[in-house]
Amino acid sequence: MKKDIKIIGSGFSALSAACYLAKKGHRVTVYEKNDSIGGRARQLKRDGFTFDMGPSWYWMPDVFERFFGDFDKKTSDYYQLIKLSPAYRVYYGINDFIAIADNLPEIITTFEAIEKGSGKILQEFMNEAKSNYDIAIKDLVYRPGVSPLELITLETAKKVNQFFSNISRDIRKKFKNIRLIQILEFPVLFLGAKPSDTPSFYSFMNFADFGLGTWHPKTGMYDVVLAMEKLAKELGVTFHVNANIEKIFVENKKAVALVVNGETLKADVILSGADYHHTETLLDQEHRAYSEKYWESRVFAPSSLLFYVGFDKKIENISHHALFFDVDFNQHAIDIYDKPKWPNEPLFYANFPSITDETAAPKGMETGFFLIPLAPGIEDSEELREAYFEKIIDRFEKLTQQKVKNNIIFKQSFCKNDFVSEYNSYKGNAYGMANTLLQTAFLRPKLKSKKVENLYFTGQLTVPGPGVPPALISGKLVAELIEKNI
Protein backbone atom coordinates (compact mmCIF):
# COMPACT_ATOMS: atom_id res chain seq x y z
CA MET A 1 0.00 0.00 0.00
CA LYS A 2 1.36 3.40 -0.99
CA LYS A 3 1.77 5.86 1.88
CA ASP A 4 2.08 9.59 2.50
CA ILE A 5 5.59 9.89 3.94
CA LYS A 6 6.92 13.14 5.36
CA ILE A 7 10.67 13.56 5.91
CA ILE A 8 12.25 16.03 8.33
CA GLY A 9 15.53 17.47 7.05
CA SER A 10 17.36 17.24 3.75
CA GLY A 11 20.86 15.98 4.56
CA PHE A 12 22.42 13.05 2.72
CA SER A 13 20.56 10.38 4.70
CA ALA A 14 17.18 12.09 4.24
CA LEU A 15 17.80 12.56 0.50
CA SER A 16 18.82 8.93 0.18
CA ALA A 17 15.73 7.68 2.00
CA ALA A 18 13.49 9.99 -0.04
CA CYS A 19 14.80 8.47 -3.28
CA TYR A 20 14.35 4.86 -2.14
CA LEU A 21 10.85 5.48 -0.77
CA ALA A 22 9.71 7.39 -3.86
CA LYS A 23 11.01 4.56 -6.05
CA LYS A 24 8.57 2.27 -4.22
CA GLY A 25 5.74 4.57 -5.24
CA HIS A 26 5.12 6.39 -1.97
CA ARG A 27 4.18 10.07 -1.87
CA VAL A 28 7.28 11.64 -0.32
CA THR A 29 7.63 15.21 0.91
CA VAL A 30 10.85 16.65 2.39
CA TYR A 31 10.82 19.59 4.82
CA GLU A 32 14.02 21.59 5.39
CA LYS A 33 14.20 24.32 8.06
CA ASN A 34 16.94 26.29 6.28
CA ASP A 35 16.63 28.14 2.97
CA SER A 36 18.49 25.52 0.93
CA ILE A 37 18.68 21.75 0.99
CA GLY A 38 21.67 19.64 1.96
CA GLY A 39 21.67 19.84 5.74
CA ARG A 40 25.29 20.15 6.93
CA ALA A 41 26.42 19.84 3.31
CA ARG A 42 25.03 23.24 2.34
CA GLN A 43 26.88 25.64 0.10
CA LEU A 44 28.05 29.19 0.85
CA LYS A 45 28.48 31.69 -1.99
CA ARG A 46 29.99 35.09 -1.30
CA ASP A 47 31.72 37.71 -3.45
CA GLY A 48 32.44 35.23 -6.22
CA PHE A 49 33.76 32.55 -3.83
CA THR A 50 32.03 29.17 -3.33
CA PHE A 51 32.43 26.98 -0.23
CA ASP A 52 31.15 23.57 0.81
CA MET A 53 30.03 24.40 4.34
CA GLY A 54 30.37 20.86 5.69
CA PRO A 55 31.77 17.63 4.23
CA SER A 56 34.71 18.19 1.90
CA TRP A 57 36.27 14.71 1.59
CA TYR A 58 34.88 12.37 -1.08
CA TRP A 59 35.90 8.87 0.00
CA MET A 60 34.45 5.42 -0.77
CA PRO A 61 33.36 6.20 -4.34
CA ASP A 62 31.95 2.68 -4.61
CA VAL A 63 29.23 3.54 -2.04
CA PHE A 64 28.09 6.51 -4.15
CA GLU A 65 28.09 4.32 -7.28
CA ARG A 66 26.07 1.68 -5.45
CA PHE A 67 23.52 4.30 -4.40
CA PHE A 68 22.96 5.65 -7.91
CA GLY A 69 23.16 2.12 -9.31
CA ASP A 70 20.09 1.21 -7.27
CA PHE A 71 18.21 3.61 -9.57
CA ASP A 72 19.90 2.36 -12.77
CA LYS A 73 22.04 5.50 -12.79
CA LYS A 74 25.74 6.32 -12.47
CA THR A 75 27.41 9.19 -10.64
CA SER A 76 28.64 10.37 -14.05
CA ASP A 77 25.02 10.91 -15.09
CA TYR A 78 24.98 13.77 -12.58
CA TYR A 79 28.51 14.95 -11.76
CA GLN A 80 32.14 14.54 -12.74
CA LEU A 81 34.77 13.21 -10.32
CA ILE A 82 38.43 14.23 -10.17
CA LYS A 83 40.95 12.03 -8.35
CA LEU A 84 43.22 14.26 -6.30
CA SER A 85 46.97 13.88 -6.75
CA PRO A 86 48.35 14.16 -4.19
CA ALA A 87 45.38 13.07 -2.12
CA TYR A 88 46.55 15.37 0.66
CA ARG A 89 49.61 16.66 2.49
CA VAL A 90 50.43 16.33 6.18
CA TYR A 91 52.55 19.19 7.57
CA TYR A 92 54.95 18.72 10.49
CA GLY A 93 57.17 21.79 10.28
CA ILE A 94 58.33 24.63 8.05
CA ASN A 95 57.89 23.37 4.49
CA ASP A 96 58.21 19.92 6.07
CA PHE A 97 55.39 17.71 4.88
CA ILE A 98 54.52 14.24 3.66
CA ALA A 99 52.48 14.08 0.46
CA ILE A 100 50.13 11.12 0.21
CA ALA A 101 50.07 9.91 -3.38
CA ASP A 102 46.95 8.88 -5.29
CA ASN A 103 48.03 5.22 -5.46
CA LEU A 104 49.21 2.58 -2.98
CA PRO A 105 52.56 1.66 -4.62
CA GLU A 106 53.79 5.26 -4.30
CA ILE A 107 52.50 5.49 -0.72
CA ILE A 108 54.43 2.29 0.11
CA THR A 109 57.57 3.87 -1.37
CA THR A 110 57.01 6.99 0.76
CA PHE A 111 56.66 4.90 3.93
CA GLU A 112 59.78 2.86 3.13
CA ALA A 113 61.82 6.03 2.64
CA ILE A 114 60.79 7.28 6.08
CA GLU A 115 61.05 3.99 8.03
CA LYS A 116 63.09 1.12 6.61
CA GLY A 117 60.99 -2.06 6.35
CA SER A 118 57.69 -0.23 6.76
CA GLY A 119 56.76 -0.56 3.07
CA LYS A 120 56.27 -4.31 3.31
CA ILE A 121 54.46 -3.94 6.65
CA LEU A 122 52.14 -1.35 5.11
CA GLN A 123 51.28 -3.69 2.22
CA GLU A 124 50.34 -6.43 4.72
CA PHE A 125 48.35 -3.94 6.80
CA MET A 126 46.50 -2.77 3.69
CA ASN A 127 45.70 -6.35 2.66
CA GLU A 128 43.97 -6.77 6.03
CA ALA A 129 42.31 -3.36 5.70
CA LYS A 130 40.94 -4.31 2.27
CA SER A 131 39.60 -7.59 3.67
CA ASN A 132 37.83 -5.63 6.42
CA TYR A 133 36.50 -3.15 3.85
CA ASP A 134 35.03 -5.96 1.76
CA ILE A 135 33.29 -7.39 4.82
CA ALA A 136 32.13 -4.07 6.29
CA ILE A 137 31.22 -1.85 3.37
CA LYS A 138 29.93 -4.54 1.04
CA ASP A 139 27.93 -6.35 3.71
CA LEU A 140 27.82 -5.42 7.42
CA VAL A 141 26.97 -1.73 7.12
CA TYR A 142 23.96 -2.58 4.97
CA ARG A 143 22.29 -4.22 7.98
CA PRO A 144 19.73 -2.28 10.03
CA GLY A 145 21.20 -2.53 13.54
CA VAL A 146 18.25 -4.49 14.89
CA SER A 147 20.12 -7.48 16.37
CA PRO A 148 23.64 -8.38 17.52
CA LEU A 149 23.35 -11.43 15.28
CA GLU A 150 23.85 -9.12 12.29
CA LEU A 151 27.53 -8.91 13.23
CA ILE A 152 28.02 -12.67 13.37
CA THR A 153 29.14 -14.10 10.05
CA LEU A 154 31.81 -16.59 9.00
CA GLU A 155 34.01 -13.66 8.03
CA THR A 156 33.59 -11.65 11.24
CA ALA A 157 34.09 -14.78 13.37
CA LYS A 158 37.62 -14.97 11.95
CA LYS A 159 38.23 -11.37 12.98
CA VAL A 160 36.59 -11.32 16.39
CA ASN A 161 39.83 -10.20 18.10
CA GLN A 162 39.75 -7.04 16.00
CA PHE A 163 36.59 -5.90 17.77
CA PHE A 164 38.38 -6.00 21.14
CA SER A 165 41.67 -4.39 20.17
CA ASN A 166 41.99 -0.86 18.85
CA ILE A 167 43.45 0.89 15.82
CA SER A 168 46.07 2.81 17.78
CA ARG A 169 47.48 -0.29 19.49
CA ASP A 170 47.64 -2.25 16.23
CA ILE A 171 49.34 0.51 14.28
CA ARG A 172 51.91 1.15 17.01
CA LYS A 173 52.84 -2.54 17.08
CA LYS A 174 53.66 -2.39 13.38
CA PHE A 175 55.17 1.08 12.90
CA LYS A 176 57.64 3.09 14.99
CA ASN A 177 57.84 6.44 13.17
CA ILE A 178 55.38 8.83 14.81
CA ARG A 179 54.59 10.57 11.52
CA LEU A 180 53.58 7.34 9.84
CA ILE A 181 51.55 6.37 12.92
CA GLN A 182 49.63 9.67 12.80
CA ILE A 183 48.93 9.33 9.08
CA LEU A 184 47.51 5.84 9.66
CA GLU A 185 45.49 6.96 12.68
CA PHE A 186 44.03 9.95 10.85
CA PRO A 187 41.28 8.19 8.76
CA VAL A 188 39.42 6.79 11.78
CA LEU A 189 38.93 10.34 13.07
CA PHE A 190 36.12 10.46 10.48
CA LEU A 191 34.37 7.91 12.73
CA GLY A 192 34.28 10.45 15.53
CA ALA A 193 36.43 8.80 18.20
CA LYS A 194 40.06 8.58 19.29
CA PRO A 195 42.07 5.85 17.50
CA SER A 196 42.64 4.27 20.94
CA ASP A 197 38.84 3.92 21.34
CA THR A 198 38.15 2.67 17.81
CA PRO A 199 38.05 -1.11 17.21
CA SER A 200 40.83 -2.51 15.00
CA PHE A 201 38.26 -3.75 12.51
CA TYR A 202 37.77 -0.15 11.43
CA SER A 203 41.13 -0.29 9.66
CA PHE A 204 38.89 -0.50 6.59
CA MET A 205 39.06 3.30 6.72
CA ASN A 206 42.75 3.02 5.80
CA PHE A 207 41.75 1.13 2.66
CA ALA A 208 39.21 3.86 1.91
CA ASP A 209 42.12 6.32 2.14
CA PHE A 210 45.13 4.60 0.54
CA GLY A 211 43.31 1.95 -1.49
CA LEU A 212 40.44 3.89 -3.06
CA GLY A 213 41.86 7.40 -3.03
CA THR A 214 40.55 10.89 -2.39
CA TRP A 215 38.22 12.39 -4.98
CA HIS A 216 36.56 15.73 -5.61
CA PRO A 217 33.30 16.37 -7.45
CA LYS A 218 34.16 18.89 -10.17
CA THR A 219 32.53 21.89 -8.50
CA GLY A 220 32.45 20.61 -4.92
CA MET A 221 30.55 18.26 -2.61
CA TYR A 222 27.36 20.20 -3.24
CA ASP A 223 27.36 18.53 -6.67
CA VAL A 224 26.30 15.36 -4.83
CA VAL A 225 23.46 17.15 -3.02
CA LEU A 226 22.19 18.58 -6.31
CA ALA A 227 22.49 15.16 -7.96
CA MET A 228 20.43 13.51 -5.23
CA GLU A 229 17.86 16.31 -5.33
CA LYS A 230 17.54 15.91 -9.11
CA LEU A 231 17.16 12.14 -8.79
CA ALA A 232 14.59 12.57 -6.02
CA LYS A 233 12.54 15.01 -8.12
CA GLU A 234 12.72 12.64 -11.10
CA LEU A 235 11.20 10.03 -8.76
CA GLY A 236 8.43 12.42 -7.68
CA VAL A 237 9.71 13.77 -4.34
CA THR A 238 8.48 17.24 -3.29
CA PHE A 239 10.76 19.65 -1.38
CA HIS A 240 9.90 22.54 0.94
CA VAL A 241 12.60 24.86 2.34
CA ASN A 242 12.20 27.38 5.18
CA ALA A 243 9.92 24.73 6.66
CA ASN A 244 10.48 24.54 10.40
CA ILE A 245 9.09 21.47 12.17
CA GLU A 246 7.53 22.48 15.49
CA LYS A 247 5.89 19.28 16.70
CA ILE A 248 5.22 15.62 15.92
CA PHE A 249 1.66 14.63 16.82
CA VAL A 250 1.04 11.16 18.24
CA GLU A 251 -2.36 9.50 18.60
CA ASN A 252 -2.84 6.01 20.04
CA LYS A 253 0.95 5.61 20.04
CA LYS A 254 1.15 6.34 16.30
CA ALA A 255 2.81 9.33 14.64
CA VAL A 256 0.03 10.98 12.65
CA ALA A 257 1.05 14.56 11.78
CA LEU A 258 3.70 17.26 11.73
CA VAL A 259 3.33 20.90 12.64
CA VAL A 260 5.24 22.82 9.96
CA ASN A 261 5.43 26.62 10.34
CA GLY A 262 2.26 26.51 12.42
CA GLU A 263 0.34 24.28 9.98
CA THR A 264 -0.68 20.73 10.92
CA LEU A 265 0.02 18.25 8.11
CA LYS A 266 -1.16 14.65 8.35
CA ALA A 267 1.15 11.78 7.43
CA ASP A 268 1.06 7.99 7.33
CA VAL A 269 4.78 7.75 8.13
CA ILE A 270 7.18 10.33 9.56
CA LEU A 271 10.92 9.95 9.02
CA SER A 272 13.46 12.27 10.61
CA GLY A 273 16.86 12.88 9.09
CA ALA A 274 17.34 15.73 11.56
CA ASP A 275 19.29 15.41 14.82
CA TYR A 276 17.87 12.40 16.71
CA HIS A 277 17.88 14.07 20.13
CA HIS A 278 16.21 17.20 18.75
CA THR A 279 13.58 15.15 16.91
CA GLU A 280 12.56 13.45 20.15
CA THR A 281 12.05 16.87 21.77
CA LEU A 282 9.32 17.42 19.15
CA LEU A 283 7.42 14.59 20.86
CA ASP A 284 5.62 14.79 24.19
CA GLN A 285 7.79 13.38 26.99
CA GLU A 286 6.04 10.02 27.26
CA HIS A 287 6.74 9.22 23.60
CA ARG A 288 10.51 9.73 23.76
CA ALA A 289 12.54 6.52 23.54
CA TYR A 290 15.78 7.97 24.95
CA SER A 291 16.18 10.02 28.13
CA GLU A 292 18.40 13.05 28.63
CA LYS A 293 20.55 10.81 30.83
CA TYR A 294 21.03 8.46 27.88
CA TRP A 295 22.22 11.24 25.59
CA GLU A 296 24.52 12.63 28.28
CA SER A 297 26.16 9.21 28.62
CA ARG A 298 26.97 8.85 24.90
CA VAL A 299 30.36 9.54 23.34
CA PHE A 300 29.80 12.22 20.72
CA ALA A 301 32.03 13.03 17.80
CA PRO A 302 33.71 16.44 17.89
CA SER A 303 32.26 19.80 17.11
CA SER A 304 34.31 22.08 14.87
CA LEU A 305 35.39 25.66 14.47
CA LEU A 306 35.22 26.40 10.75
CA PHE A 307 36.42 29.40 8.78
CA TYR A 308 35.41 30.19 5.20
CA VAL A 309 38.06 32.57 3.86
CA GLY A 310 38.42 34.46 0.59
CA PHE A 311 41.99 35.36 -0.43
CA ASP A 312 42.81 37.96 -3.10
CA LYS A 313 45.79 35.93 -4.39
CA LYS A 314 46.75 32.30 -5.09
CA ILE A 315 48.14 30.44 -2.08
CA GLU A 316 51.53 28.74 -2.50
CA ASN A 317 53.17 25.60 -1.06
CA ILE A 318 49.83 23.91 -0.40
CA SER A 319 47.60 21.11 -1.70
CA HIS A 320 43.82 20.81 -2.09
CA HIS A 321 43.60 19.03 1.32
CA ALA A 322 46.20 19.68 4.03
CA LEU A 323 46.50 18.47 7.63
CA PHE A 324 48.62 20.39 10.13
CA PHE A 325 50.10 17.96 12.65
CA ASP A 326 52.94 20.19 13.83
CA VAL A 327 51.65 20.14 17.42
CA ASP A 328 50.86 17.36 19.93
CA PHE A 329 48.28 15.03 18.33
CA ASN A 330 47.55 13.21 21.62
CA GLN A 331 47.08 16.37 23.67
CA HIS A 332 44.50 17.73 21.24
CA ALA A 333 42.63 14.40 21.45
CA ILE A 334 42.63 14.68 25.27
CA ASP A 335 41.23 18.22 24.95
CA ILE A 336 38.36 16.87 22.83
CA TYR A 337 37.46 13.57 24.51
CA ASP A 338 38.96 13.24 27.99
CA LYS A 339 39.13 16.73 29.51
CA PRO A 340 37.01 18.87 27.18
CA LYS A 341 38.42 22.35 26.69
CA TRP A 342 39.73 24.63 23.99
CA PRO A 343 43.14 23.22 22.98
CA ASN A 344 46.17 25.38 23.66
CA GLU A 345 47.80 24.18 20.44
CA PRO A 346 45.16 22.87 18.02
CA LEU A 347 45.68 20.56 15.10
CA PHE A 348 43.85 21.92 12.08
CA TYR A 349 42.80 21.05 8.56
CA ALA A 350 42.83 23.34 5.52
CA ASN A 351 41.08 22.85 2.20
CA PHE A 352 41.64 24.91 -0.95
CA PRO A 353 39.06 23.68 -3.47
CA SER A 354 39.96 26.42 -5.96
CA ILE A 355 43.25 24.56 -6.60
CA THR A 356 41.13 21.88 -8.29
CA ASP A 357 38.02 23.83 -9.26
CA GLU A 358 38.67 27.21 -10.89
CA THR A 359 35.00 28.18 -10.46
CA ALA A 360 35.39 28.16 -6.64
CA ALA A 361 37.11 31.57 -6.62
CA PRO A 362 37.49 34.60 -8.87
CA LYS A 363 40.45 34.42 -11.25
CA GLY A 364 43.80 34.78 -9.49
CA MET A 365 42.19 34.32 -6.06
CA GLU A 366 41.78 31.38 -3.64
CA THR A 367 38.99 29.83 -1.63
CA GLY A 368 40.13 28.60 1.79
CA PHE A 369 38.32 26.43 4.34
CA PHE A 370 39.91 25.88 7.78
CA LEU A 371 38.71 23.46 10.46
CA ILE A 372 39.71 22.93 14.10
CA PRO A 373 38.09 19.90 15.81
CA LEU A 374 36.68 20.78 19.25
CA ALA A 375 34.89 19.08 22.11
CA PRO A 376 31.08 19.16 21.73
CA GLY A 377 29.23 21.31 24.23
CA ILE A 378 32.19 23.64 24.63
CA GLU A 379 31.95 27.41 25.25
CA ASP A 380 31.70 29.38 22.02
CA SER A 381 32.18 33.12 21.52
CA GLU A 382 33.31 35.52 18.81
CA GLU A 383 36.38 36.39 20.89
CA LEU A 384 37.46 32.73 21.09
CA ARG A 385 36.86 32.22 17.38
CA GLU A 386 39.00 35.24 16.51
CA ALA A 387 41.79 34.19 18.86
CA TYR A 388 41.94 30.73 17.33
CA PHE A 389 41.91 32.03 13.79
CA GLU A 390 44.97 34.10 14.67
CA LYS A 391 46.63 31.00 16.12
CA ILE A 392 46.16 28.86 13.03
CA ILE A 393 46.76 31.53 10.40
CA ASP A 394 50.07 32.47 12.08
CA ARG A 395 51.12 28.83 11.98
CA PHE A 396 49.86 28.44 8.42
CA GLU A 397 52.03 31.36 7.30
CA LYS A 398 55.07 29.98 9.11
CA LEU A 399 54.67 26.36 7.93
CA THR A 400 53.99 27.22 4.29
CA GLN A 401 56.51 30.10 4.24
CA GLN A 402 54.28 32.87 2.94
CA LYS A 403 52.28 35.89 4.11
CA VAL A 404 48.51 35.61 3.61
CA LYS A 405 46.85 37.62 6.42
CA ASN A 406 46.83 40.86 4.46
CA ASN A 407 45.33 39.05 1.47
CA ILE A 408 42.12 38.07 3.27
CA ILE A 409 39.12 39.73 1.61
CA PHE A 410 36.68 38.22 4.10
CA LYS A 411 36.30 35.39 6.55
CA GLN A 412 33.14 33.84 7.97
CA SER A 413 33.16 31.52 10.97
CA PHE A 414 30.90 28.65 12.02
CA CYS A 415 31.17 26.90 15.38
CA LYS A 416 29.27 25.07 18.11
CA ASN A 417 26.55 27.68 18.56
CA ASP A 418 25.88 27.63 14.82
CA PHE A 419 25.66 23.83 14.72
CA VAL A 420 22.97 24.15 17.41
CA SER A 421 21.02 27.00 15.78
CA GLU A 422 21.35 25.88 12.14
CA TYR A 423 21.07 22.09 12.55
CA ASN A 424 19.61 21.59 16.06
CA SER A 425 22.75 19.55 16.71
CA TYR A 426 23.08 17.97 20.16
CA LYS A 427 25.82 19.88 22.03
CA GLY A 428 26.79 21.36 18.68
CA ASN A 429 28.46 18.16 17.51
CA ALA A 430 29.59 18.20 13.88
CA TYR A 431 29.74 14.49 13.04
CA GLY A 432 27.16 12.67 15.16
CA MET A 433 27.82 9.87 17.63
CA ALA A 434 31.24 8.26 17.72
CA ASN A 435 31.69 4.69 16.46
CA THR A 436 33.23 3.20 19.60
CA LEU A 437 32.82 -0.51 20.43
CA LEU A 438 29.81 0.18 22.68
CA GLN A 439 28.22 2.47 20.08
CA THR A 440 28.47 0.24 17.04
CA ALA A 441 25.67 -1.36 14.95
CA PHE A 442 22.80 -2.59 17.18
CA LEU A 443 24.14 -0.51 20.11
CA ARG A 444 23.33 2.78 18.34
CA PRO A 445 19.95 4.57 18.52
CA LYS A 446 17.37 2.67 16.50
CA LEU A 447 16.11 3.47 13.01
CA LYS A 448 12.55 2.77 14.24
CA SER A 449 11.10 4.45 17.30
CA LYS A 450 10.70 2.01 20.19
CA LYS A 451 7.65 3.88 21.51
CA VAL A 452 5.83 5.38 18.52
CA GLU A 453 4.53 3.50 15.49
CA ASN A 454 5.20 4.97 12.05
CA LEU A 455 8.09 7.12 13.34
CA TYR A 456 11.57 6.46 11.97
CA PHE A 457 15.02 8.01 12.09
CA THR A 458 18.03 8.15 9.80
CA GLY A 459 21.44 9.81 9.82
CA GLN A 460 24.70 9.97 11.71
CA LEU A 461 23.31 9.28 15.18
CA THR A 462 21.88 5.94 14.10
CA VAL A 463 23.33 3.14 11.90
CA PRO A 464 25.84 2.86 10.33
CA GLY A 465 27.30 6.07 11.80
CA PRO A 466 29.19 9.28 10.91
CA GLY A 467 30.27 10.23 7.41
CA VAL A 468 28.73 10.86 4.00
CA PRO A 469 28.86 7.27 2.63
CA PRO A 470 27.29 5.90 5.87
CA ALA A 471 24.57 8.57 5.54
CA LEU A 472 23.65 7.28 2.06
CA ILE A 473 23.52 3.76 3.50
CA SER A 474 21.43 4.87 6.49
CA GLY A 475 18.79 6.26 4.12
CA LYS A 476 18.64 2.95 2.27
CA LEU A 477 18.37 0.96 5.51
CA VAL A 478 15.53 3.02 6.95
CA ALA A 479 13.64 2.99 3.64
CA GLU A 480 13.84 -0.82 3.59
CA LEU A 481 12.66 -0.97 7.20
CA ILE A 482 9.69 1.31 6.48
CA GLU A 483 8.78 -0.74 3.41
CA LYS A 484 8.93 -3.93 5.49
CA ASN A 485 6.70 -2.57 8.24
CA ILE A 486 3.90 -0.86 6.30
Side-chain angles (χ1 to χ4, degrees):
M1 184 183 293
K2 306 313 177 189
K3 301 290 186 179
D4 179 1
I5 301 176
K6 290 184 165 43
I7 299 179
I8 304 171
S10 66
F12 283 116
S13 57
L15 290 172
S16 171
C19 291
Y20 284 110
L21 290 165
K23 183 186 176 186
K24 289 292 185 181
H26 300 296
R27 189 165 67 256
V28 180
T29 310
V30 174
Y31 298 91
E32 167 57 53
K33 75 181 279 288
N34 293 309
D35 60 8
S36 62
I37 70 159
R40 297 172 198 228
R42 289 186 299 160
Q43 194 177 61
L44 169 65
K45 286 181 176 284
R46 180 171 167 181
D47 300 345
F49 295 85
T50 302
F51 303 86
D52 284 314
M53 293 188 70
S56 59
W57 293 77
Y58 191 103
W59 274 6
M60 304 184 189
D62 52 321
V63 174
F64 294 86
E65 291 295 350
R66 183 166 171 175
F67 169 78
F68 285 100
D70 284 342
F71 303 91
D72 299 319
K73 304 284 187 180
K74 302 186 294 293
T75 57
S76 58
D77 293 332
Y78 296 96
Y79 56 90
Q80 181 183 335
L81 284 174
I82 299 164
K83 193 174 191 183
L84 299 182
S85 180
Y88 53 92
R89 286 181 180 179
V90 185
Y91 284 78
Y92 296 96
I94 297 172
N95 255 339
D96 175 14
F97 60 84
I98 295 174
I100 300 302
D102 65 351
N103 64 89
L104 184 55
E106 282 190 55
I107 297 170
I108 287 171
T109 300
T110 297
F111 269 54
E112 184 64 29
I114 293 169
E115 180 182 318
K116 190 170 176 57
S118 66
K120 183 182 178 199
I121 295 168
L122 178 62
Q123 181 65 70
E124 292 168 353
F125 179 76
M126 291 303 296
N127 291 343
E128 184 72 22
K130 182 182 185 304
S131 170
N132 289 354
Y133 190 91
D134 289 343
I135 293 167
I137 304 303
K138 295 177 182 177
D139 182 15
L140 288 186
V141 296
Y142 284 91
R143 301 184 181 197
V146 173
S147 163
L149 297 177
E150 293 172 8
L151 295 178
I152 301 172
T153 68
L154 284 173
E155 289 80 8
T156 56
K158 297 171 190 171
K159 296 174 180 281
V160 66
N161 290 340
Q162 292 191 34
F163 287 93
F164 297 98
S165 184
N166 65 69
I167 285 281
S168 185
R169 186 183 306 147
D170 282 10
I171 289 171
R172 287 161 194 269
K173 281 180 185 174
K174 299 174 189 296
F175 302 91
K176 302 302 175 214
N177 184 280
I178 190 62
R179 295 184 174 192
L180 301 185
I181 288 168
Q182 289 176 347
I183 288 169
L184 288 167
E185 288 183 339
F186 151 67
V188 301
L189 298 178
F190 284 101
L191 301 172
K194 288 193 300 184
S196 57
D197 289 333
T198 302
S200 302
F201 184 72
Y202 284 101
S203 68
F204 64 72
M205 291 297 293
N206 294 104
F207 180 73
D209 179 2
F210 291 176
L212 297 175
T214 302
W215 301 76
H216 185 70
K218 187 176 180 181
T219 58
M221 287 294 286
Y222 202 66
D223 285 0
V224 186
V225 173
L226 295 176
M228 295 179 75
E229 178 191 33
K230 185 177 180 186
L231 173 61
K233 287 181 174 178
E234 290 167 355
L235 293 163
V237 177
T238 302
F239 288 87
H240 296 283
V241 295
N242 297 310
N244 187 45
I245 308 299
E246 295 157 354
K247 188 171 180 61
I248 299 172
F249 273 120
V250 177
E251 291 178 2
N252 299 319
K253 297 186 177 179
K254 288 186 178 180
V256 295
L258 290 177
V259 178
V260 184
N261 293 340
E263 183 181 2
T264 301
L265 304 172
K266 291 185 177 179
D268 297 316
V269 175
I270 293 170
L271 166 61
S272 179
D275 179 272
Y276 205 122
H277 169 269
H278 169 73
T279 303
E280 287 218 314
T281 68
L282 302 175
L283 296 162
D284 290 336
Q285 186 77 46
E286 68 267 25
H287 301 310
R288 299 173 192 174
Y290 299 99
S291 66
E292 287 298 317
K293 186 177 179 182
Y294 169 85
W295 294 112
E296 280 290 334
S297 71
R298 299 300 88 188
V299 178
F300 274 82
S303 185
S304 295
L305 170 55
L306 308 169
F307 294 100
Y308 311 104
V309 185
F311 295 94
D312 68 4
K313 70 171 186 177
K314 300 304 286 184
I315 305 299
E316 300 174 352
N317 306 327
I318 199 66
S319 58
H320 182 120
H321 293 295
L323 305 166
F324 291 83
F325 287 179
D326 55 306
V327 297
D328 191 333
F329 189 102
N330 292 327
Q331 184 57 51
H332 192 156
I334 289 167
D335 294 340
I336 293 173
Y337 296 103
D338 301 334
K339 298 176 180 177
K341 70 182 185 72
W342 282 80
N344 290 329
E345 296 293 340
L347 303 169
F348 68 96
Y349 156 65
N351 169 24
F352 296 90
S354 44
I355 289 174
T356 306
D357 169 21
E358 62 183 21
T359 70
K363 190 172 179 60
M365 301 187 188
E366 206 86 89
T367 296
F369 169 106
F370 296 83
L371 181 153
I372 302 172
L374 296 171
I378 205 164
E379 175 194 2
D380 176 17
S381 70
E382 287 301 323
E383 292 77 17
L384 279 165
R385 296 184 191 194
E386 190 60 33
Y388 275 78
F389 183 76
E390 288 299 314
K391 277 180 184 274
I392 64 170
I393 207 69
D394 284 346
R395 276 172 45 210
F396 181 83
E397 288 188 329
K398 180 181 175 184
L399 296 169
T400 63
Q401 290 289 277
Q402 64 191 309
K403 295 295 183 185
V404 300
K405 266 194 210 178
N406 292 337
N407 300 98
I408 294 173
I409 300 171
F410 70 84
K411 74 173 187 294
Q412 186 168 320
S413 67
F414 197 97
C415 197
K416 188 223 50 176
N417 291 348
D418 302 301
F419 279 101
V420 173
S421 64
E422 297 292 302
Y423 309 130
N424 295 310
S425 170
Y426 182 72
K427 291 187 175 180
N429 80 81
Y431 307 104
M433 189 184 289
N435 256 338
T436 60
L437 178 61
L438 297 178
Q439 294 182 172
T440 293
F442 67 96
L443 296 172
R444 297 180 71 80
K446 301 303 182 188
L447 292 167
K448 184 179 187 298
S449 171
K450 294 187 286 187
K451 288 195 171 183
V452 180
E453 285 296 309
N454 302 333
L455 177 60
Y456 296 82
F457 300 84
T458 187
Q460 57 190 8
L461 266 67
T462 184
V463 291
V468 178
L472 300 187
I473 295 166
S474 186
K476 178 182 174 78
L477 294 176
V478 77
E480 290 174 347
L481 197 59
I482 290 170
E483 189 64 21
K484 179 182 174 183
N485 289 331
I486 58 177

